[in-house]
Amino acid sequence: QVTLWLKKIYKDVPVPEYEVNERTVDILHEVMECSEERDRDVMLLIEDMKDRTTKYEAEAEYWQGILGESLGLFEGSLSQEATTDLTDLVDSAMELEVEDTSLTSFYSAINYMTSELYETKSKNEEMELKLKTLTKKLTTALMLEKKLEEDIKKIEESQEAEKAKVKIQANNLKFLEDKSKDLKIRINDAEVELVARGLDQSLMHEALVKSSE
């Protein structure tokens, strides 16, 4: 079935090569069924349109006969002005989708369209009001977002400055600690050297502090 359908689709053109397996055949079969169903729908639609055309032509011939026999209105018998007016009347009736060309039908259709126009205008005004409100809210939100971004930027800059300050202080503290350790070592070395040279222990700093206490 699939092979015959493909040959029918491509006619004189060779069918493109494809991998024949269960999955590809199932997919092509499904496509074939959809295509055939669509073709059937199109044919039914064409037949329906042909039937309608035949009915419209028959109805047109009937009314043409009525107009010709009863009123003597044949094609070409009207003046150019009358033909133009009649054409405008028909176009208006088709545009307004009225059942006939009576004044009642025209007035009803016009009133309905006018009512739709006012309703549409009312909806448009409502939408414009909503749009203005949303635009105002959006503008406010964007301004707030911009201010928040500026505040965040300021905070980040302030934090960076604070980090730099803390880093400097930490470096200073480390320098002082290292300097203090160095001085203690140097003092200790000096005291050891003085003791080695025979300096009285009672004159050492710690002994003097204890003596003072």
Side-chain angles (χ1 to χ4, degrees):
Q1 280 184 320
V2 170
T3 303
L4 292 174
W5 173 70
L6 288 173
K7 289 181 178 179
K8 179 182 175 182
I9 293 296
Y10 285 95
K11 296 181 180 178
D12 298 332
V13 180
V15 177
E17 294 184 2
Y18 63 94
E19 183 180 350
V20 180
N21 55 48
E22 185 178 353
R23 184 172 182 274
T24 56
V25 172
D26 288 342
I27 293 172
L28 287 171
H29 189 269
E30 186 177 349
V31 174
M32 179 191 73
E33 290 181 341
C34 292
S35 176
E36 291 178 346
E37 184 177 354
R38 183 196 62 186
D39 291 342
R40 284 193 296 271
D41 292 339
V42 171
M43 291 301 298
L44 290 173
L45 181 61
I46 291 173
E47 291 299 324
D48 181 61
M49 293 180 71
K50 286 181 178 179
D51 290 341
R52 289 190 182 189
T53 302
T54 303
K55 290 179 182 178
Y56 289 150
E57 287 176 349
E59 190 173 355
E61 288 178 2
Y62 170 76
W63 284 108
Q64 190 173 5
I66 294 292
L67 291 173
E69 294 173 5
S70 303
L71 304 175
L73 296 175
F74 297 99
E75 187 176 356
S77 64
L78 296 175
S79 64
Q80 182 64 38
E81 184 179 0
T83 302
T84 302
D85 291 341
L86 185 59
T87 302
D88 291 341
L89 184 65
V90 172
D91 290 342
S92 300
M94 293 180 67
E95 187 69 28
L96 293 170
E97 298 180 355
V98 294
E99 295 182 358
D100 51 51
T101 55
S102 64
L103 285 176
T104 303
S105 296
F106 276 115
Y107 282 139
S108 297
I110 291 171
N111 286 336
Y112 177 75
M113 291 189 72
T114 303
S115 175
E116 279 194 332
L117 176 62
Y118 284 131
E119 184 178 352
T120 303
K121 285 182 67 177
S122 177
K123 287 182 179 179
N124 286 341
E125 290 174 356
E126 184 179 349
M127 289 298 293
E128 285 180 1
L129 181 60
K130 286 183 179 180
L131 180 60
K132 287 181 180 178
T133 304
L134 288 173
T135 303
K136 186 177 180 181
K137 288 182 178 180
L138 179 60
T139 303
T140 304
L142 289 173
M143 291 177 65
L144 178 60
E145 182 185 14
K146 185 177 180 181
K147 188 175 185 307
L148 287 173
E149 288 178 351
E150 291 176 351
D151 291 343
I152 291 172
K153 187 177 180 182
K154 289 179 181 178
I155 292 172
E156 289 177 346
E157 290 175 352
S158 176
Q159 287 179 342
E160 289 296 327
E162 190 66 27
K163 286 180 181 177
K165 185 178 179 180
V166 170
K167 188 176 181 180
I168 292 172
Q169 290 176 346
N171 291 336
N172 291 339
L173 179 61
K174 188 175 184 307
F175 172 77
L176 293 174
E177 288 176 347
D178 292 342
K179 192 69 176 174
S180 176
K181 289 179 181 178
D182 180 61
L183 289 174
K184 286 180 179 179
I185 293 171
R186 291 171 65 183
I187 290 170
N188 186 59
D189 291 343
E191 288 179 346
V192 170
E193 184 179 354
L194 290 173
V195 170
R197 292 183 179 183
L199 180 67
D200 187 357
Q201 291 285 341
S202 63
L203 297 178
M204 290 294 188
H205 175 72
E206 291 183 3
L208 291 173
V209 169
K210 289 181 180 179
S211 176
S212 175
E213 291 176 350

